[in-house]
Amino acid sequence: DTGVSQDPRHKITKRGQNVTFRCDPISEHNRLYWYRQTLGQGPEFLTYFQNEAQLEKSRLLSDRFSAERPKGSFSTLEIQRTEQGDSAMYLCASSKSSGTGGGQPQHFGDGTRLSIL
Amino acid sequence: AQSVTQLGSHVSVSEGALVLLRCNYSSSVPPYLFWYVQYPNQGLQLLLKYTTGATLVKGINGFEAEFKKSETSFHLTKPSAHMSDAAEYFCAVSEATGGFKTIFGAGTRLFVKA
């Protein structure tokens, strides 16, 4: 168990630029989640994959955001035309699936901190 | 819809004192409940979880939590605080029927005084 890995750890970019983050989940985990965390808040759910299928997207995820998990392994989160309000920590988590959903704890990466100048 | 309320954004205790972090949840179906801890510039680490069965759940680092359905609460306790416990703590809920989405509370920052 090498843990969930996220790259880069920090990203500074100018407003209007596109950014892409990568997440490598724990290898035997088939569920992968993206969250956004702002200062003083808990993680907010963005989207979720089971294997390569993206099963739900939060209303927080505007059309500038897109996530992929092409082969059911690593995932990317892209933000196009970044805005000041996109500054946050983006967390990736993975878990095993369980028969009734919800019961498996999520294992988190250390996040990518995005700063928009 | 699920929701989580953590009472107190900041809690300060002396080293060796009891730690009590409060969490109330709302769920329309039997919930799964979690406590996570987050250290600065790191991701979240699972402390403990409640799924079914025994309502008193023991976790890592001496923490435990009790699921009280009648009070819709899942408070986190530790008998004796250590300096290394200073961190942000998040309570979270997910639903048992086909649910995958986990909803997190806003967090409680624990300060431990020497």
Side-chain angles (χ1 to χ4, degrees):
Chain A
D1 181 349
T2 57
V4 177
S5 176
Q6 291 189 246
D7 184 68
R9 290 294 312 278
H10 304 275
K11 180 70 177 178
I12 301 172
T13 192
K14 293 181 179 179
R15 186 167 52 115
Q17 297 295 305
N18 299 343
V19 294
T20 300
F21 311 140
R22 177 180 170 120
C23 172
D24 287 89
I26 293 171
S27 57
E28 63 266 30
H29 288 181
N30 59 352
R31 289 184 175 169
L32 186 147
Y33 313 78
W34 285 100
Y35 293 88
R36 181 173 67 189
Q37 185 178 25
T38 53
L39 199 61
Q41 297 297 316
E44 295 175 291
F45 171 81
L46 293 179
T47 190
Y48 150 78
F49 291 84
Q50 174 127 341
N51 300 312
E52 66 274 11
Q54 188 175 18
L55 297 188
E56 185 164 334
K57 292 167 57 174
S58 165
R59 280 169 287 183
L60 291 174
L61 214 65
S62 76
D63 56 5
R64 296 185 298 106
F65 288 70
S66 61
E68 295 182 342
R69 193 182 183 196
K71 297 182 180 179
S73 57
F74 74 91
S75 175
T76 58
L77 177 68
E78 181 182 16
I79 308 174
Q80 296 182 327
R81 306 180 302 282
T82 52
E83 302 174 355
Q84 290 284 350
D86 296 332
S87 294
M89 175 79 88
Y90 290 84
L91 293 166
C92 176
S94 68
S95 74
K96 297 178 182 179
S97 60
S98 62
T100 55
Q104 293 292 336
Q106 296 175 22
H107 297 252
F108 283 80
D110 286 338
T112 294
R113 183 169 296 282
L114 175 64
S115 298
I116 307 297
L117 301 178
Chain B
Q2 307 164 80
S3 67
V4 176
T5 302
Q6 291 186 240
L7 302 176
S9 58
H10 297 85
V11 169
S12 182
V13 301
S14 297
E15 192 172 22
L18 172 71
V19 175
L20 171 60
L21 305 182
R22 300 177 188 272
C23 172
N24 288 89
Y25 69 91
S26 173
S27 178
S28 57
V29 296
Y32 293 133
L33 295 161
F34 307 86
W35 276 99
Y36 287 86
V37 61
Q38 186 177 33
Y39 297 98
N41 297 313
Q42 293 186 20
L44 281 69
Q45 178 185 3
L46 180 71
L47 280 177
L48 49 80
K49 67 174 183 177
Y50 169 78
T51 53
T52 58
T55 56
L56 183 62
V57 180
K58 295 187 183 298
I60 63 171
N61 301 338
F63 285 94
E64 61 183 36
E66 186 171 10
F67 169 59
K68 292 187 176 181
K69 183 178 179 180
S70 61
E71 298 177 8
T72 60
S73 69
F74 191 57
H75 301 331
L76 181 71
T77 60
K78 181 173 180 178
S80 177
H82 190 272
M83 296 297 288
S84 61
D85 295 327
E88 188 92 24
Y89 292 81
F90 294 96
C91 181
V93 62
S94 65
E95 292 187 338
T97 54
F100 58 86
K101 187 181 348 182
T102 300
I103 303 299
F104 289 84
T108 298
R109 181 163 293 280
L110 177 65
F111 297 92
V112 182
K113 299 174 291 187

